[in-house]
Amino acid sequence: MKEKILAAMSGGVDSSASAVLLLEQGYEVAGVTMALYDQGDIGKVTRSCCSADDIADARSVCNRLGIDHYVFNMGDVFHKQVIDRFISGYACGLTPNPCIDCNRYIKFDALLKRAGDIGCEKIATGHYARIEYDEASGRFLLKTAADEHKDQTYFLYSMTQEQLSRVLFPLGGLTKEETRRLAEKAMLTNARKPDSQDICFVPDGDYAGFIQRTTGEVPKPGDFLDTEGNVLGQHRGLVHYTVGQRKGLGFAFPEPRYVCKKDAATNTVVIGKSECLFAKRLLAADCNWIAVEKLTEPMRVQAKIRHGHHTQPATLIPDEKGTIVEFDTPQRAISPGQATVWYDGDTVVGGGTIMQAL
């Protein structure tokens, strides 16, 4: 009897090609698209995932492949676990990453639980990453994709051993162009569909506007401070600023100035020269370990502080508040709320949420 796999179908080429590969590998496949929010509330979505058009595209692909297509309404859990966390993060002066929360709470938690309802013990997604089982350690390992330019392991660091045992990433060994050619060979209408690039519920990139519309609350102005604590003027609300930001500050200086820190407790934004953005250490909390059960002693790794950040040599140090990451050289714009993810070669050691630069 064929193993039945539930393939998450976002309407894009990656998830569609993933379903094609699963069928070629002999699995029984069903497709599912998650309805995550009311399109009327969000507005017209262009280059984002999970829009109404994406649901139609996913259904069309499933019809072409001759597989069942389901639509799961997960709006409530998405709002609670992704949108609410995004809003509360910004309110606390953080720079949250909702794509990580979506993977953590929706795709690899809520969706996995629903998969069993239609007889599927495993799910597959179109992520560019690889999963391997290591006999020596008895652990499932998360490894980087063959196409380093498309690797998405940064967004997947929170996966548990149980989740890794029940998830397939069919595209882990392919390049993006190979994926598109596979979709073209299968005559899928979305073979050349552009990739989604926006946060799905903020397609225009106006985070502050989205938060204000959703909560009905106007961001509270506060003081801009220099690094000495002197008041420079008034900011428009913490949600309008991110660490490292230069433009849109409303000030003219003889040399560039940047957002160096946001403090929700005092509702202040600190502005300084470029050098104030650099730090060698950070504290990470809510850590998840994949390659090891836990961190018991210092460990050398390659670490990221954001998705587009090139890995940098660092040492992980256990701490009563979480994990200290000490880089060999200072890193620019370490942003609380973002994730730091740690690698040993092509293997994800683990990761956590950045709490503060030290």
Side-chain angles (χ1 to χ4, degrees), residues 17 29 45-46 68 83 114 125 168 183 186 198 201-203 205 215-216 224 226 262 281 285 312 316 337 351 354:
V29 181
V45 177
T46 53
D68 292 334
I83 294 179
R114 290 286 301 273
T125 74
L168 300 176
D198 305 308
F201 53 90
V202 195
T215 64
F224 274 126
D226 65 17
K262 301 191 297 181
R281 306 171 87 230
Q312 298 293 318
L316 304 181
I354 298 172

Side-chain angles (χ1 to χ4, degrees), residues 65-131:
L65 297 179
I67 63 177
D68 292 334
H69 178 248
Y70 300 87
V71 177
F72 288 171
N73 185 344
M74 295 188 171
D76 288 345
V77 65
F78 183 79
H79 203 289
K80 177 181 178 181
Q81 299 289 12
V82 180
I83 294 179
D84 286 353
R85 288 177 183 275
F86 178 83
I87 292 172
S88 63
Y90 266 102
C92 294
L94 305 176
T95 304
N97 192 315
C99 295
I100 289 175
D101 284 338
C102 186
N103 286 329
R104 184 174 191 172
Y105 298 106
I106 310 301
K107 291 186 180 73
F108 303 120
D109 185 15
L111 181 60
L112 260 179
K113 292 173 181 175
R114 290 286 301 273
D117 295 341
I118 55 174
C120 299
E121 285 303 310
K122 293 182 179 180
I123 68 170
T125 74
H127 286 99
Y128 286 85
R130 296 174 295 143
I131 298 173

Side-chain angles (χ1 to χ4, degrees), residues 158 192 256:
S158 65
R192 290 292 162 180

Side-chain angles (χ1 to χ4, degrees), residues 10-14 16 46-51 53-58 176 180 188-196:
S10 66
V13 63
D14 294 329
S16 300
T46 53
R47 298 189 68 184
S48 173
C49 65
C50 306
S51 69
D53 288 344
D54 290 322
I55 294 175
D57 286 345
K176 183 69 178 194
R180 291 198 183 279
L188 304 184
T189 57
N190 61 356
R192 290 292 162 180
K193 184 176 180 179
D195 291 340
S196 61

Side-chain angles (χ1 to χ4, degrees), residues 176-190:
K176 183 69 178 194
E177 188 53 37
E178 287 172 332
T179 296
R180 291 198 183 279
R181 288 200 297 268
L182 180 67
E184 287 179 333
K185 183 179 178 181
M187 293 185 288
L188 304 184
T189 57
N190 61 356

Side-chain angles (χ1 to χ4, degrees), residues 217-232:
E217 299 176 1
V218 178
K220 183 181 177 181
D223 289 333
F224 274 126
L225 305 177
D226 65 17
T227 53
E228 303 299 320
N230 300 307
V231 177
L232 300 175

Side-chain angles (χ1 to χ4, degrees), residues 17 37 60 149 192 233 243 252 265 270:
Y37 46 73
S60 174
H149 299 294
R192 290 292 162 180
V243 173
V270 177

